[in-house]
Amino acid sequence: MSHDPNCIFCKIIAGQIPSKKVFEDDDVLAFHDINPWAPVHILLVPKRHIASMVDVTPEDQAVLGKMMVLAPRLMAELGVTGGFRQVINTGPDGGQEVYHVHMHVMGGPRPWLKG
């Protein structure tokens, strides 16, 4: 499995940096975002280091599909019932800050809509 020793998500996957895990198997780690944008905000990360969606190959199809199927299950387990948002930022113009593919999954009431 590919690993980048300088990548913060690779360090989280390796257990070198703590995280509040939601799910883990051989392929994917899901954990709560440390700077949430919604009441429930988790990150789904493939354990194999893939820097960006630009670097995805057919070999990555299964793990990316697993992440898409896993997201609604985890949101339901976390009590999200009114829908959720899935976002993958890609590259500098796409707002990617950590260069390890990750999917933000955000749910719960959106406080900025109140008023």
Side-chain angles (χ1 to χ4, degrees):
M1 190 161 292
S2 177
H3 174 81
D4 177 345
N6 298 313
C7 171
I8 190 167
F9 288 163
C10 287
K11 290 178 182 181
I12 291 170
I13 291 163
Q16 298 168 343
I17 296 175
S19 66
K20 188 175 173 190
K21 293 180 185 178
V22 175
F23 173 88
E24 182 174 17
D25 69 7
D26 291 340
D27 304 311
V28 176
L29 176 64
F31 55 93
H32 288 273
D33 193 296
I34 61 169
N35 293 309
W37 285 31
V40 178
H41 184 170
I42 63 173
L43 301 175
L44 276 73
V45 180
K47 286 191 169 181
R48 186 173 87 76
H49 182 82
I50 308 165
S52 167
M53 287 300 291
V54 172
D55 302 305
V56 166
T57 68
E59 174 185 336
D60 304 311
Q61 182 174 344
V63 73
L64 294 175
K66 179 184 271 192
M67 289 167 55
M68 294 298 286
V69 171
L70 192 55
R73 184 184 113 195
L74 296 178
M75 286 287 105
E77 289 174 5
L78 293 168
V80 174
T81 59
F84 55 91
R85 184 177 190 187
Q86 294 165 261
V87 177
I88 299 176
N89 298 319
T90 304
D93 290 341
Q96 187 173 4
E97 294 178 4
V98 177
Y99 279 81
H100 184 126
V101 167
H102 57 286
M103 180 169 58
H104 296 263
V105 187
M106 298 164 278
R110 295 181 287 168
W112 58 87
L113 292 181
K114 292 180 182 177

